[in-house]
């Protein structure tokens, strides 16, 4: 894989209304950059804005996946920690010991 | 198999337990993929039932206070969307309770312990409140308790005039999610 496209060589902070942005340098496969540029041109927007959209969606997906793993692991930890009798209580089944009659 | 990306679904108390204990790797994989798209959605009644359960475990074994408290906090920290019981759900629940006053199955019992009739009735009413929440929210209910939920689905189907603009109650058994 080629990493031959440099977007920017400078790093500095730039404040826009309601949105903090930062310039940085990233190296992307040339083919990806070509596609991003073509999309930006198609949507009449900038390469940065188009790239931001993809990064934002990728980060959202990553967070969702992490959340999914967290929830499953939590359920397994929580409900795997109890005995069968305790699980009945956790599921709302409350049973009392049977009183044996003395003969 | 139900597409994990579909939803949202209302997860019954019994469904949470199924994913944690009985779903195995296929169940875990299904839930992971589901949560990538949707938050786990439960009724506020499920939260009440569960917190009551944690409390009852603590009462039976006070020595485990530390670990049970930690698991209770972890459960609450992982709550997704909690649907409160609102007026329309309460009305639907009241109708179901009037039509089906008695639990469809007898109290649970084992060789050492038995559920009182009062406890069985309160559990039945909790299930009705959860089903009514799903019905009014128009969200399929994922459950592992067909014995209680199928009669509710049946009554909504048989007497639709008592549930105007609502229904049917869409039920999904946990095991069918992964088959």
């Amino acid at each position: 894989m080629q990493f031959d496209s440099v977007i920017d060589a400078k790093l500095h902070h730039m404040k826009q209304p309601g949105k903090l942005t930062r310039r940085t340098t990233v190296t992307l496969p040339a083919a990806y950059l070509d596609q991003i540029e073509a999309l930006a041109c198609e949507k009449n927007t900038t390469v940065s804005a188009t790239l931001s959209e993809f990064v934002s969606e990728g980060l959202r997906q990553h967070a969702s996946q992490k959340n999914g793993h967290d929830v499953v692991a939590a359920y397994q930890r929580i409900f795997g920690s109890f005995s069968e009798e305790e699980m009945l209580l956790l599921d709302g089944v409350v049973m009392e010991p049977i009183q044996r009659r003395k003969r | 198999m139900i597409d994990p990306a579909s939803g949202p679904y209302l997860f019954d108390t019994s469904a949470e337990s199924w994913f944690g204990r009985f779903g195995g790797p296929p169940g875990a994989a299904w839930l992971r993929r589901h949560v990538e798209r949707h938050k786990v959605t439960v009724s506020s009644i499920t939260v009440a039932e569960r917190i009551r359960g944690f409390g009852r475990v603590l009462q039976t074994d006070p020595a485990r206070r530390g670990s049970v408290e930690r698991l209770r906090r972890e459960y609450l920290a992982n709550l997704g969307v909690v649907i409160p019981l609102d007026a329309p759900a309460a009305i639907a629940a009241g109708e179901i309770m009037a039509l089906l006053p008695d639990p469809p199955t007898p109290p649970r019992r084992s060789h050492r312990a038995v559920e009182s009739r009062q406890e069985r009735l309160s559990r039945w009413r909790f299930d009705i409140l959860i089903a009514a929440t799903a019905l009014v929210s128009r969200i399929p209910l994922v459950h592992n308790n067909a014995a209680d939920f199928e009669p509710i689905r049946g009554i909504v189907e048989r007497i639709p005039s008592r549930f105007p603009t609502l229904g049917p109650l869409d039920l999904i058994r946990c095991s069918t999610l992964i088959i």
Side-chain angles (χ1 to χ4, degrees):
Chain A
M1 191 181 283
Q2 275 190 305
F3 294 90
D4 55 358
S5 297
V6 175
I7 290 179
D8 200 339
K10 294 178 182 172
L11 179 69
H12 70 270
H13 295 265
M14 187 172 65
K15 224 175 182 179
Q16 290 179 346
K19 198 173 181 182
L20 181 66
T21 61
R22 207 169 77 180
R23 297 186 81 184
T24 189
T25 302
V26 291
T27 304
L28 298 172
Y32 290 178
L33 188 55
D34 289 345
Q35 286 182 54
I36 297 277
E37 282 172 343
L39 264 174
C41 188
E42 207 175 279
K43 293 164 76 177
N44 199 24
T45 184
T46 62
V47 167
S48 292
T50 309
L51 203 53
S52 286
E53 268 181 44
F54 282 104
V55 171
S56 163
E57 176 58 19
L59 288 172
R60 192 197 61 74
Q61 276 183 21
H62 175 76
S64 296
Q65 280 171 2
K66 186 178 176 304
N67 186 32
H69 281 82
D70 288 352
V71 169
V72 172
Y75 277 4
Q76 288 172 341
R77 262 195 310 276
I78 295 165
F79 302 120
S81 303
F82 293 99
S83 67
E84 288 300 322
E85 284 179 5
E86 289 170 336
M87 270 315 293
L88 284 174
L89 292 173
L90 281 170
D91 284 346
V93 182
V94 176
M95 299 205 288
E96 301 295 338
I98 294 171
Q99 304 287 331
R100 303 275 180 210
R101 282 186 186 169
K102 285 182 186 172
R103 290 185 182 179
Chain B
M1 177 175 166
I2 307 283
D3 180 4
S6 60
Y9 298 122
L10 188 74
F11 291 88
D12 176 44
T13 318
S14 60
E16 288 181 330
S17 305
W18 184 85
F19 280 110
R21 287 172 77 90
F22 309 116
W30 188 94
L31 187 59
R32 261 184 218 114
R33 288 198 52 209
H34 179 74
V35 178
E36 285 172 15
R37 292 288 185 92
H38 308 278
K39 288 194 168 180
V40 173
T41 303
V42 296
S43 159
S44 54
I45 303 304
T46 286
V47 179
E49 209 168 24
R50 199 63 93 186
I51 296 308
R52 176 183 184 239
F54 279 111
R56 295 294 303 219
V57 171
L58 272 178
Q59 286 167 0
T60 56
D61 191 359
R64 290 185 61 198
R65 175 164 290 278
S67 65
V68 173
E69 276 296 341
R70 183 176 53 75
L71 294 166
R72 178 181 178 273
R73 277 199 301 274
E74 187 168 8
Y75 174 75
L76 291 175
N78 280 282
L79 277 178
V81 176
V82 179
I83 301 183
L85 183 76
D86 59 7
I91 293 165
E95 291 285 359
I96 298 166
M97 286 176 195
L99 292 164
L100 298 170
D102 301 316
T105 57
R108 293 275 288 265
R109 66 182 300 137
S110 68
H111 60 290
R112 284 187 305 169
V114 65
E115 184 182 31
S116 69
R117 288 169 63 87
Q118 196 180 2
E119 278 293 339
R120 177 65 185 104
L121 183 61
S122 81
R123 185 159 61 86
W124 169 233
R125 288 186 175 161
F126 276 151
D127 286 339
I128 289 175
L129 290 165
I130 291 168
T133 302
L135 184 67
V136 168
S137 307
R138 293 180 167 80
I139 301 177
L141 177 63
V142 177
H143 68 95
N144 191 34
N145 183 9
D148 278 6
F149 288 120
E150 284 297 340
I152 300 173
R153 187 188 59 75
I155 204 76
V156 172
E157 204 172 284
R158 280 200 305 281
I159 313 183
S161 57
R162 298 288 284 270
F163 307 94
T165 76
L166 297 177
L169 174 64
D170 198 357
L171 296 178
I172 301 173
R173 283 190 82 155
C174 288
S175 54
T176 65
L177 292 171
I178 54 173
I179 294 171

